[in-house]
Amino acid sequence: MSTIASAATAPPLPAPRDPKLRRMANAIRALAMDAVEQAKSGHPGMPMGMADAATVLFTQFLRFDPEAPDWPDRDRFVLSAGHGSMLLYALLHLTGYPDMTLDELKRFRQLGSRTAGHPERGHASGIETTTGPLGQGLGNSVGMAIAERLLAAEFGDTVVDHRTYVIASDGDLMEGVSHEAASLAGHLGLNKLIVLYDDNSISIDGPTELAFSDDRVLRFRAYGWAAERIDGQDHQAVADALRRAQASDRPSLIACRTIIAFGAPTKAGTAAAHGAPLGAAEIAGARERLGWGYPPFVVPEDVRAEWRAASGRGKTVRRAWEARLQSLPAERRDEFLRRHRSELPHGFDAAIAKLCDDFRRANAKIATRQASGTVLDSLTKLVPGLVGGSADLTPSNNTKAKDQKDVRRSDFSGHYLRYGVREHGMAAAMNGIALHRGLIPYGGTFLTFSDYARPSIRLAAFMGVRVVYVMTHDSIGLGEDGPTHQPIEHLAALRSMPGLYVYRPADAVETAECWALALQRRDAPSLLALTRQALPLLRTDGSLQGTDRNLCARGAYVLAEGPHARQVTLLATGSEVSIAIAAREMLARDNIVAAVVSMPCWELFEAQPQAYRDAVLGTAPRVAVEAAVQFGWERWLGPRGAFIGMTGYGASAPGEALFPHFGITPEKVAEAARSLL
Ligand SMILES: Cc1ncc(C[n+]2csc(CCOP(=O)(O)OP(=O)(O)O)c2C)c(N)n1
């Protein structure tokens, strides 16, 4: 006789303590089952397991208002286990977010619907961040909680006083980025961060014990969190735990023991319910066991009314907040609102122009990382929303401005974050800070370690958020640290990422211009690739460049033109622009006319009209020089081009020795140019 339960023989469900809340949760369960079934794709298990905990959170704790989804002092809710997106869509629908209609639920995972497979940001109001790649949401939530503390310290807790709630899964807690993020959150004592962990012991491969045996509660306690285990399907237990978490002086992890696909007669508690439709028989059995006798996508009026009543609470809270905002002095209020509109302050352009002038006047040979530090010394005073930081490379990245104070556990009045050696956690937190709004995060590491942050950089690009990566030591020019630290393929890899603006300025003036462009672009991340080694100032000629025009804004421009029609065009970025300039002088001695094009940002250049691009690139043969792999340069070289750069990894030696060693010199560039004539 088979011991496997069938839909007919499955034991009845235990009676819930609170039948009303269970019915409200069952609405989520039914919508999740139905939408996944209709799409023939998706993840019903997690929404069904966490429906009770989510119902308690949304009806009794979370402060939100579907009529004003972006109200600045709302609580933030992050679904880090983004595969369970039907949980969020069902919640947004039931609480009355106008974007989330029943039709959208019926179009789950279809082209052009608001209900993407994972809760992608921007598709529908009420979604704070996209979290398909596990662990990212937790990282984002740490950034959001940091942003809340920083803004509260600046504007006061009468206008900034909200919490960040997260639902995370086993997968989230396995991912490395969540370890980094949790460790940082514990260190900073982010007590308004509350994570409901769906402790269902199931992942795709089967029971989590196959691969996951650390004690999560003890681990989070060791990070400095308050952590406890509860029955995640007991509404009272969830509410009590949330109340304790709200009162805690540290971030909280509430491990909610749940049953994946709770209610499903045979698939509950199994990996089969994780990521596939349950099937008609199983759904019918679940409806029966849950006492949900309604057709697909039908939510009875009494349940709908309960949900609406619960979400109606938010309006009163929001209105009270608006009144408090009005009571701020006008100037503070304007500043608060300007910051939330992501606008830069008046005087920004003038400050950049002055920085360029100062660099020109000083005409000093400095590294672009040093120029970046000088830019920050000035901009952090003018742009109070800038929040800097570095993954433990502050003195190398020059990311800390003179007047910036460290953010500390007990003091969030500073604007500089010591992220520790946590590049991925930093990048994920930066996304959260930017998504929160009100602040502009920038963070530093070595360019080669962009790989350690790449999944979060990709999400920044994908979501279109303004974060600035300050990535120094951008080539073999960094020298002695050797090939592990010398980026080779990184520029190509980063340039291949849609939506990311990669800047590689050639001198101090270009560095200031690229910083301006990065901050002016509200809807995309930017990455500044900066040198460790000193570079000569190239933009010395104010009359050629104009003092008030940002030449980097078009991505590439002619830095040096011939006295006559050019015979060759030398293309370069960053530290190699000065090599190209030197090559041009060598060629001039042989009466060969060469133009030098500086290309600090390919993405901006690509966006220029064809006529501009043609004029800059010219019709003469081209030689490109960049201390990196050629990959990608083909598009600029044309049919008769040559590339001078790297073909393999670097070496440990002083930077000045490495450029000749790898043949990246003016002589080689000139030689390549001659060979094309
Ligand atoms: C970084 C990353 N790796 C892999 C996946 C694919 N994936 C989606 S859910 C999941 C694990 C599911 O287990 P769990 O997190 O416990 O979720 P549950 O089964 O409880 O819904 C995996 C590996 C992913 N979304 N992100």
Side-chain angles (χ1 to χ4, degrees):
M1 202 181 82
S2 169
T3 52
I4 301 172
S6 73
T9 62
L13 293 169
R17 262 215 251 173
D18 188 329
K20 187 187 84 187
L21 286 176
R22 177 54 58 79
R23 243 170 97 67
M24 292 172 79
N26 283 345
I28 297 173
R29 293 190 168 95
L31 289 172
M33 287 193 296
D34 295 342
V36 172
E37 193 65 16
Q38 172 128 327
K40 295 275 170 272
S41 162
H43 303 75
M46 186 282 231
M48 294 174 75
M50 282 300 279
D52 294 296
T55 300
V56 173
L57 176 65
F58 271 67
T59 57
Q60 297 173 25
F61 292 87
L62 194 76
R63 296 191 323 174
F64 65 99
D65 181 4
E67 286 178 19
D70 293 333
W71 149 47
D73 201 32
R74 70 193 182 280
D75 285 339
R76 304 302 194 265
F77 172 72
V78 176
L79 184 67
S80 193
H83 60 274
S85 56
M86 263 315 301
L87 176 71
L88 180 55
Y89 300 149
L91 286 162
L92 296 179
H93 172 69
L94 292 166
T95 51
Y97 279 83
D99 280 353
M100 201 51 73
T101 60
L102 207 51
D103 277 346
E104 291 293 345
L105 299 189
K106 290 179 184 168
R107 298 203 305 132
F108 180 48
R109 291 189 162 226
Q110 304 310 305
L111 191 63
S113 75
R114 294 190 187 279
T115 44
H118 293 85
E120 295 172 23
R121 182 168 170 93
H123 285 202
S125 57
I127 298 173
E128 300 287 358
T129 178
T130 183
T131 53
L134 289 164
Q136 294 294 331
L138 248 169
N140 299 156
S141 70
V142 171
M144 290 179 182
I146 290 172
E148 192 271 350
R149 290 288 74 210
L150 292 174
L151 290 167
E154 192 178 344
F155 291 98
D157 57 11
T158 55
V159 287
V160 185
D161 182 12
H162 53 267
R163 293 190 166 80
T164 304
Y165 294 96
V166 183
I167 288 184
S169 65
D170 291 304
D172 285 301
L173 265 55
M174 286 190 231
E175 286 292 351
V177 65
S178 73
H179 294 239
E180 294 182 22
S183 163
L184 181 62
H187 172 74
L188 289 173
L190 299 174
N191 65 321
K192 291 164 99 176
L193 174 62
I194 300 176
V195 177
L196 292 164
Y197 157 42
D198 181 19
D199 187 10
N200 64 13
S201 305
I202 291 290
S203 67
I204 292 180
D205 273 13
T208 48
E209 67 194 16
L210 287 171
F212 196 29
S213 46
D214 48 61
D215 185 323
R216 274 76 86 186
V217 166
L218 288 185
R219 196 176 95 206
F220 272 74
R221 284 190 192 144
Y223 291 142
W225 289 50
E228 62 172 314
R229 248 183 217 100
I230 60 158
D231 176 348
Q233 277 156 209
D234 177 335
H235 305 111
Q236 193 58 50
V238 174
D240 291 346
L242 283 170
R243 238 168 256 122
R244 283 190 290 277
Q246 287 192 335
S248 173
D249 62 350
R250 44 190 70 194
S252 296
L253 180 89
I254 304 171
C256 302
R257 236 175 299 106
T258 66
I259 297 170
I260 192 166
F262 177 79
T266 71
K267 294 187 177 173
T270 74
H274 159 85
L278 294 179
E282 188 77 6
I283 290 177
R287 280 194 143 74
E288 195 180 322
R289 296 181 82 216
L290 295 168
W292 193 260
Y294 311 100
F297 294 108
V298 171
V299 179
E301 265 323 305
D302 66 309
V303 175
R304 233 176 235 295
E306 292 290 359
W307 272 106
R308 289 301 171 89
S311 69
R313 292 175 305 126
K315 190 190 238 177
T316 322
V317 182
R318 193 244 309 166
R319 289 207 169 134
W321 174 82
E322 280 166 356
R324 291 199 299 280
L325 183 69
Q326 288 310 315
S327 69
L328 281 191
E331 179 225 331
R332 297 302 294 150
R333 188 174 61 234
D334 290 350
E335 173 66 6
F336 182 86
L337 293 173
R338 180 188 68 73
R339 298 265 289 276
H340 279 81
R341 287 193 305 270
S342 306
E343 288 169 7
L344 291 170
H346 292 300
F348 181 80
D349 294 341
I352 295 292
K354 178 171 184 320
L355 276 162
C356 291
D357 269 352
D358 291 348
F359 283 136
R360 245 190 296 272
R361 248 193 301 273
N363 198 358
K365 192 174 173 193
I366 58 172
T368 49
R369 63 171 172 153
Q370 193 185 335
S372 169
T374 305
V375 170
L376 286 171
D377 283 340
S378 156
L379 289 189
T380 48
K381 284 193 217 119
L382 182 76
V383 187
L386 276 173
V387 180
S390 163
D392 198 43
L393 286 170
T394 297
S396 301
N397 300 149
N398 296 53
T399 33
K400 189 167 187 222
K402 282 194 189 116
D403 69 337
Q404 267 177 333
K405 246 176 38 170
D406 281 348
V407 174
R408 288 178 202 284
R409 184 188 180 90
S410 48
D411 179 5
F412 282 78
S413 61
H415 272 61
Y416 193 78
L417 286 153
R418 303 286 181 170
Y419 284 107
V421 193
R422 302 184 185 98
E423 295 83 4
H424 199 178
M426 171 176 78
M430 284 165 66
N431 285 350
I433 294 173
L435 287 164
H436 180 280
R437 284 190 181 258
L439 297 163
I440 308 171
Y442 69 89
T445 184
F446 290 155
L447 182 61
T448 194
F449 301 137
S450 59
D451 286 340
Y452 272 55
R454 191 172 170 95
S456 301
I457 299 177
R458 182 171 189 268
L459 283 180
F462 173 79
M463 293 189 284
V465 292
R466 176 171 49 184
V467 299
V468 184
Y469 309 104
V470 181
M471 303 245 167
T472 69
H473 297 56
D474 71 346
S475 77
I476 52 165
L478 69 88
E480 294 83 346
D481 273 342
T484 55
H485 284 46
Q486 291 160 0
I488 300 295
E489 74 284 19
H490 299 74
L491 288 168
L494 292 161
R495 285 173 182 148
S496 75
M497 198 183 277
L500 172 68
Y501 289 77
V502 179
Y503 293 94
R504 191 161 185 254
D507 73 354
V509 171
E510 278 199 7
T511 304
E513 291 184 345
C514 291
W515 255 114
L517 295 166
L519 294 175
Q520 283 161 345
R521 183 164 297 281
R522 293 189 216 178
D523 60 354
S526 300
L527 183 145
L528 303 174
L530 304 172
T531 65
R532 174 188 182 224
Q533 74 275 24
L535 302 177
L537 193 80
L538 301 176
R539 291 277 296 279
T540 45
D541 184 349
S543 64
L544 172 68
Q545 318 308 343
T547 49
D548 55 352
R549 248 177 350 124
N550 186 332
L551 291 187
C552 293
R554 304 190 86 170
Y557 63 96
V558 179
L559 174 66
E561 190 62 275
H564 316 294
R566 58 170 105 154
Q567 292 162 275
V568 63
T569 301
L570 309 180
L571 310 174
T573 75
S575 45
E576 287 70 69
V577 179
S578 43
I579 291 179
I581 291 282
R584 176 178 177 269
E585 282 155 21
M586 278 177 187
L587 290 167
R589 287 199 283 277
D590 292 347
N591 292 320
I592 298 171
V593 180
V596 172
V597 171
S598 179
M599 303 189 76
C601 182
W602 288 16
E603 294 79 16
L604 287 175
F605 188 52
E606 269 161 17
Q608 298 307 310
Q610 185 76 42
Y612 177 78
R613 281 185 285 154
D614 289 348
V616 169
L617 293 172
T619 51
R622 297 167 203 155
V623 179
V625 51
E626 184 168 67
V629 290
Q630 179 174 341
F631 201 93
W633 272 100
E634 296 78 7
R635 84 182 68 171
W636 309 123
L637 286 176
R640 290 181 56 225
F643 179 77
I644 302 288
M646 298 292 291
T647 52
Y649 296 105
S652 175
E656 314 84 74
L658 289 175
F659 281 94
H661 176 75
F662 287 108
I664 303 173
T665 59
E667 290 77 9
K668 291 282 182 195
V669 174
E671 204 179 295
R674 278 191 211 99
S675 76
L676 294 176
L677 298 179

